[in-house]
Amino acid sequence: MNKQERDTLIMTKLNEGMSLSDVQKILAQDYNIRMTYLELRLLADDLAVNWEKLDKPKPAPQPAEQAVTPEEDDESFDEDDDEDLDDDEDFEEEEEVAEPGAVKVTIDPAPRPGMILSGMVRFASGIRAGWMMDRRGRLNLDLPDDGPQPSQEDLQGFQEELRRVMQQKDEEMRRAANDGRTKVTINPVVPAGVKIGGNVEFASGAKGDWYIDNSGRMGFNPAEGSTNPTQEDVGLFQVVLQQELRKHGYGV
């Protein structure tokens, strides 16, 4: 199946009323074409799709048949619930002060395994999801297949807000990298198998040796008695290292 045939299939299925999740499954199962939900949604934006048919308004919530008393609510609150709330505490607090209908995007301090970035998003429609970016720069959303899906406007707003938040984070990182707390040196002599290396003192106080081997992989050996660097330490180190490499004439 070539690109034109793929796009025609996607457009046809969507205009028949099929959901993006179902189209995603058909592409993977029948044609071995694997796309993330977000990639498929962005591709479909350029196709002649009747989005009004797909972006159906959500029905108003029905009142609960039986109210839960405070006592019953306390009894049903277990440790797992407490842990889940702790994980999203910052996101919930920021949502409380966010403007109604506004997009809210947060970035995790430590990305999900295998990802370079991840976080949470609350779309303008109120739908919440996790998002992640892999090493190829591909975005994906963590959404239940049987739950509500973000609209075209939701995704456009998410991309714009994510771009703004990432630019802000990059500026903050560069300012923090220039405060002098992260110190990187380059050693003139390195061991066999190492292309370049040196020492680093992280902002948190952790210390050690860094190196880039002949295959381009970076490694770090903590100094004796030193703690391990934090995720923020690593980010600041990468910024300062690039500055030092340029200063010493290494192309980065």
Side-chain angles (χ1 to χ4, degrees):
M1 173 178 285
N2 58 35
K3 181 178 180 295
Q4 183 177 358
E5 292 172 337
R6 178 202 65 186
D7 293 352
T8 300
L9 174 67
I10 294 171
M11 179 181 65
T12 301
K13 294 298 183 183
L14 290 175
N15 283 326
E16 289 175 354
M18 184 174 290
S19 69
L20 281 164
S21 296
D22 289 338
V23 174
Q24 184 183 28
K25 292 177 182 177
I26 288 177
L27 290 172
Q29 295 173 0
D30 297 348
Y31 301 97
N32 199 29
I33 299 176
R34 305 193 179 279
M35 304 178 69
T36 67
Y37 180 90
L38 187 57
E39 287 173 333
L40 178 58
R41 190 61 163 87
L42 295 176
L43 185 153
D45 285 347
D46 297 327
L47 305 178
V49 176
N50 181 5
W51 293 110
E52 293 182 359
K53 181 186 297 185
L54 295 173
D55 296 335
K56 300 176 182 178
K58 293 184 291 184
Q62 299 297 321
E65 295 181 0
Q66 181 178 357
V68 179
T69 65
E71 291 79 7
E72 292 172 334
D73 189 50
D74 289 341
E75 292 175 358
S76 63
F77 189 87
D78 56 23
E79 293 181 358
D80 291 337
D81 294 331
D82 192 17
E83 183 177 348
D84 291 340
L85 287 178
D86 287 341
D87 291 340
D88 291 339
E89 182 177 349
D90 293 338
F91 191 72
E92 294 284 1
E93 289 178 355
E94 291 172 349
E95 275 192 327
E96 291 178 2
V97 298
E99 180 182 351
V103 183
K104 182 64 185 178
V105 176
T106 62
I107 299 178
D108 294 333
R112 299 188 187 190
M115 301 294 159
I116 60 172
L117 286 173
S118 63
M120 295 289 296
V121 55
R122 188 204 63 186
F123 296 100
S125 62
I127 298 173
R128 290 181 55 183
W131 65 268
M132 60 215 75
M133 180 183 293
D134 64 18
R135 298 186 184 279
R136 295 184 179 180
R138 296 179 300 185
L139 276 171
N140 194 11
L141 292 175
D142 186 8
L143 283 163
D145 291 338
D146 56 351
Q149 303 295 330
S151 66
Q152 180 181 9
E153 291 75 16
D154 278 337
L155 292 175
Q156 290 175 343
F158 163 60
Q159 291 180 84
E160 293 172 0
E161 180 64 9
L162 177 60
R163 188 179 301 112
R164 187 194 68 80
V165 171
M166 289 177 63
Q167 289 175 346
Q168 182 181 36
K169 184 176 179 64
D170 184 63
E171 292 172 0
E172 292 173 352
M173 186 71 71
R174 292 187 181 280
R175 285 197 297 269
N178 293 325
D179 65 6
R181 293 184 302 147
T182 303
K183 301 178 177 64
V184 177
T185 60
I186 299 176
N187 294 337
V189 180
V190 294
V194 174
K195 183 177 181 180
I196 185 173
N199 306 106
V200 55
E201 180 177 344
F202 296 98
S204 66
K207 300 178 181 180
D209 302 328
W210 65 269
Y211 64 89
I212 300 175
D213 64 20
N214 291 329
S215 63
R217 293 178 299 183
M218 178 177 289
F220 171 74
N221 297 317
E224 184 177 355
S226 173
T227 59
N228 289 324
T230 65
Q231 188 71 27
E232 182 180 2
D233 280 338
V234 174
L236 294 173
F237 161 68
Q238 291 174 342
V239 175
V240 176
L241 177 60
Q242 288 183 350
Q243 295 173 348
E244 290 298 316
L245 291 175
R246 291 192 184 97
K247 188 186 302 182
H248 288 78
Y250 293 94
V252 293

